[in-house]
Amino acid sequence: MINDLWYKNAIVYCLSVATYMDANGDGIGDFQGLMRRLDYLQGMGVTALWLMPFQTSPGRDDGYDVADYYNVDPRYGTLGDFVEFTRGCKQRGMRVLIDLVVNHTSNQHPWFQEACRNPQSKFRDWYVWSKEKPKDAASGMVFPGVQKSTWTYEKTARTWYFHRFYDFQPDLNTAHPEVQAEILKIMGFWLQLGVDGFRMDAVPFVIARKGAAVSRPLEHYDMLRSFSEFLSWRKDGAIILGEANVLPKNDLEYFGEFGERLQMMFNFDVNQHLFYALASSDSRPLMKALEDTKPRPATAQWGLFLRNHDELDLGRLTTRQRETVFAAFGPEKNMQLYQRGIRRRLTPMLQGDRRRLELAYSLMMTLPGTPVIRYGDEIGMGDDLRLPERNCARTPMQWSMEANAGFTKSDKPILPVISEGAYGFHHVNVAAQRRDPNSLLNWMERIIRMRKEVPEIGWGDFSFPATGNPTVLAIRYDWRDNSVVCLHNLSAEPQEVRFSVRVPDEERRTLINLLSEDHSYAEKGGKHCVLLEPYGYRWFRVGGLDYLLKRAEV
């Protein structure tokens, strides 16, 4: 059972093939280059790789405008290269998740081209059309401030087509049985080539009813069940990691009452309140978000992240909370995006403060769920705000102090390598940090190793020990007769907290620090007193380090 639920205690690493490593010197990352970095990823402790889109695409939206679901974009290699890559991952004990972008296609996809040319083609019904421009065309945009409409007139077809995203990404009519069958075929194709699951893009839009006559969203949740059943038949342990930025009251609709729909989802509610906690030094809204998202089936899991490849979406926060986060981490207009978020990478958001970076990553590692790390975060990469929209945080990986950060031999990389300022590759790169025992990279490797040795976080139930201090987040996990307590000081001031672990066994009243020799011993009344330095954190195991001998059977 545990092997089937491998994702409950995994370390997921997100990367783009295009910006990770270029082997052939054309300025664009490729699978051959990525394969040469698998040992680095294995050594860091990564157990699953999530690849952003690499299929054939015009590349107008970083590959999310797919023009052929059954091929690798020639710039990145061949299908043979992809199979070699998945084999290399398997040899190193790493799973592979790939993006499944089926809410829309590129307008250059043969399906859409045929649908426009021939109204009698079966592909005409695969998209969403309207003879007249709907009255609500100026609402519901995913990219407000950049996108002007959700309907665009197609001259060849002489009618309007629907696109929730950019106008070059026409929405598929996912309610159509043939489209759903095609989605299953796409999944089956990549499973055969070694994929272990999919990160499904824009899940609420995939399962929603679409059309000019649709006045309110209506989600077809059973579609998720059919996807999950298909995965179960085709490959043991295959999963769908859903991108669904929905309210907590709707979470169970996506997981299913018995976990029969999505196996994993990103926890956007916790992510947004985590950044508010970092900005305000107040743990209470984050605790509420954790409680609100606590109900889920036993087989389901949250994906916990700090920054991803998109903007930091703050749409779930109140106006006051959102302004607090903007003021702390994105005060200038060019740092903000789509009227709701911040487009910066984490390290510059935290002003390169190592204490705050460690606090943030320690928080992510100890919240209930599976950590998802973005490429470059392990070395503290920065951003280039001169680049448009989200590209500012999608610059090439910085490997060394060689030309173009060791990413490519070409003088024209796919995106400019950060070469100036405090985050330029001369200062921030993998090679230099591997030689420095106190670097962020080496700290990250150690914290990942420890996180994998604390399965209580991924599998256990959690509670909040009372400390009476809202600037400190205290969270406890219990699983198989073992307990772990984690403390995080969100403020720039030292904080003293007192709390009880409430265990009957006298021996287990000792808290063993998993990261240093700073252990805690209970006072006569059974309470612990811990002094946390500014932005300090502690990982305690309740009792001794012989917890493996005390672990109860299932």
Side-chain angles (χ1 to χ4, degrees):
M1 183 65 171
I2 288 180
N3 289 334
D4 289 341
L5 304 182
W6 60 268
Y7 51 90
K8 296 282 280 187
N9 201 48
I11 302 293
V12 181
Y13 186 92
C14 168
L15 64 88
S16 167
V17 177
T19 54
Y20 206 64
M21 185 71 198
D22 172 26
N24 62 9
D26 64 356
I28 303 173
D30 45 50
F31 276 106
Q32 289 191 19
L34 174 55
M35 281 187 280
R36 296 173 191 179
R37 294 298 183 181
L38 291 183
D39 290 327
Y40 163 78
L41 293 167
Q42 180 193 24
M44 192 166 61
V46 171
T47 59
L49 297 184
W50 156 29
L51 303 188
M52 292 170 62
F54 55 83
Q55 291 88 354
T56 305
S57 166
R60 298 183 65 185
D61 184 22
D62 214 17
Y64 284 89
D65 47 333
V66 179
D68 182 358
Y69 287 103
Y70 298 101
N71 216 331
V72 172
D73 193 298
R75 295 174 296 176
Y76 310 142
T78 65
L79 284 172
D81 291 330
F82 179 80
V83 172
E84 284 296 301
F85 158 73
T86 59
R87 291 291 298 175
C89 289
K90 185 176 181 180
Q91 289 169 349
R92 292 166 176 82
M94 294 188 290
R95 313 258 181 169
V96 177
L97 308 177
I98 69 171
D99 255 311
L100 183 65
V101 188
V102 291
N103 175 65
H104 51 253
T105 69
S106 165
N107 60 1
Q108 301 302 307
H109 197 293
W111 299 344
F112 188 70
Q113 296 285 307
E114 177 64 19
C116 293
R117 283 193 301 267
N118 181 8
Q120 305 304 317
S121 167
K122 73 171 185 176
F123 296 116
R124 178 61 74 100
D125 292 335
W126 284 30
Y127 294 88
V128 184
W129 307 90
S130 177
K131 293 182 179 179
E132 297 180 353
K133 186 177 183 178
K135 296 179 180 179
D136 63 350
S139 63
M141 282 91 68
V142 170
F143 305 126
V146 176
Q147 186 183 354
K148 296 181 179 180
S149 175
T150 56
W151 291 86
T152 294
Y153 187 73
E154 213 296 315
K155 295 180 181 178
T156 303
R158 298 181 179 180
T159 188
W160 298 79
Y161 66 89
F162 179 66
H163 52 91
R164 180 70 72 177
F165 291 74
Y166 294 114
D167 60 3
F168 53 82
Q169 293 170 321
D171 269 35
L172 283 165
N173 179 14
T174 47
H176 196 290
E178 291 185 7
V179 173
Q180 292 184 26
E182 192 71 26
I183 293 173
L184 297 181
K185 188 190 297 183
I186 293 166
M187 294 167 69
F189 177 82
W190 293 105
L191 288 172
Q192 287 296 112
L193 297 185
V195 163
D196 297 286
F198 303 89
R199 177 265 187 187
M200 183 174 281
D201 187 56
V203 175
F205 299 142
V206 173
I207 65 174
R209 184 178 59 173
K210 306 175 185 181
V214 175
S215 58
R216 63 182 182 85
L218 178 64
E219 290 82 10
H220 299 283
Y221 296 108
D222 283 344
M223 197 184 303
L224 299 177
R225 178 171 181 166
S226 66
F227 295 158
S228 183
E229 288 176 343
F230 178 83
L231 287 182
S232 298
W233 280 105
R234 285 296 183 97
K235 188 169 188 177
D236 289 339
I239 69 165
I240 295 177
L241 169 56
E243 182 202 31
N245 189 354
V246 297
L247 293 171
K249 65 180 182 179
N250 297 324
D251 291 340
L252 284 179
E253 299 288 1
Y254 287 83
F255 283 130
E257 183 179 358
F258 305 104
E260 72 276 13
R261 293 172 182 168
L262 296 180
Q263 290 78 22
M264 282 188 73
M265 279 203 302
F266 289 112
N267 198 328
F268 284 94
D269 198 53
V270 164
N271 174 256
Q272 297 179 42
H273 287 92
L274 187 158
F275 273 92
Y276 176 70
L278 293 174
S280 66
S281 302
D282 185 354
S283 67
R284 289 168 295 186
L286 175 57
M287 291 168 64
K288 184 180 185 303
L290 289 166
E291 289 284 8
D292 289 344
T293 56
K294 187 174 185 178
R296 67 179 190 271
T299 57
Q301 181 70 311
W302 286 115
L304 274 302
F305 63 102
L306 291 170
R307 286 292 288 113
N308 60 19
H309 60 293
D310 290 325
E311 79 284 359
L312 169 61
D313 190 341
L314 304 172
R316 299 297 181 197
L317 301 181
T318 66
T319 301
R320 182 187 62 81
Q321 290 173 334
R322 187 161 50 250
E323 290 303 320
T324 298
V325 180
F326 277 144
F329 303 136
E332 300 175 19
K333 279 296 180 183
N334 72 330
M335 298 174 178
Q336 302 169 17
L337 192 63
Y338 307 138
Q339 304 170 14
R340 64 171 181 251
I342 297 174
R343 67 191 192 112
R344 308 175 75 192
R345 268 193 181 258
L346 181 70
T347 303
M349 286 171 64
L350 298 180
Q351 299 177 325
D353 189 329
R354 176 65 179 269
R355 301 171 305 165
R356 300 178 76 187
L357 283 169
E358 289 189 14
L359 173 75
Y361 288 119
S362 176
L363 253 179
M364 179 186 70
M365 293 284 181
T366 56
L367 291 180
T370 294
V372 181
I373 303 168
R374 186 151 180 261
Y375 82 94
D377 279 356
E378 70 270 25
I379 59 173
M381 275 179 57
D383 47 45
D384 186 349
L385 295 175
R386 295 171 297 184
L387 297 176
E389 295 188 59
R390 296 165 293 177
N391 281 348
C392 69
R394 298 177 176 181
T395 56
M397 183 66 177
Q398 296 169 198
W399 293 107
S400 68
M401 285 185 279
E402 297 171 305
N404 287 309
F407 161 70
T408 180
K409 296 293 185 182
S410 172
D411 293 331
K412 296 181 178 180
I414 184 171
L415 284 173
V417 177
I418 297 177
S419 57
E420 301 174 352
Y423 303 105
F425 68 85
H426 295 97
H427 306 295
V428 178
N429 64 75
V430 171
Q433 292 199 22
R434 297 193 82 168
R435 301 185 189 105
D436 179 2
N438 297 314
S439 68
L440 180 63
L441 174 60
N442 278 307
W443 177 89
M444 190 74 79
E445 289 183 1
R446 292 192 295 271
I447 209 76
I448 287 173
R449 182 171 64 248
M450 185 54 68
R451 171 61 180 80
K452 290 161 72 174
E453 293 180 12
V454 186
E456 289 85 353
I457 299 174
W459 286 87
D461 189 21
F462 70 88
S463 58
F464 300 111
T467 66
N469 188 340
T471 63
V472 174
L473 176 67
I475 189 166
R476 170 177 173 163
Y477 294 93
D478 297 285
W479 183 65
R480 292 193 179 181
D481 200 32
N482 281 287
S483 302
V484 174
V485 176
C486 301
L487 306 176
H488 290 85
N489 177 13
L490 303 171
S491 76
E493 301 293 332
Q495 301 291 332
E496 183 182 74
V497 291
R498 292 178 179 273
F499 59 95
S500 174
V501 293
R502 301 184 185 280
V503 291
D505 188 348
E506 188 71 28
E507 293 181 7
R508 301 183 71 178
R509 293 186 182 181
T510 301
L511 297 181
I512 301 299
N513 194 320
L514 297 176
L515 305 176
S516 74
E517 293 297 324
D518 182 20
H519 310 309
S520 178
Y521 304 94
E523 300 171 342
K524 287 185 178 180
K527 284 199 170 186
H528 289 264
C529 179
V530 178
L531 177 63
L532 293 165
E533 65 277 12
Y535 305 119
Y537 54 91
R538 301 286 187 276
W539 294 23
F540 290 119
R541 182 167 288 286
V542 179
L545 294 179
D546 58 347
Y547 65 97
L548 291 173
L549 303 177
K550 299 176 180 177
R551 182 178 291 171
E553 296 298 326
V554 178

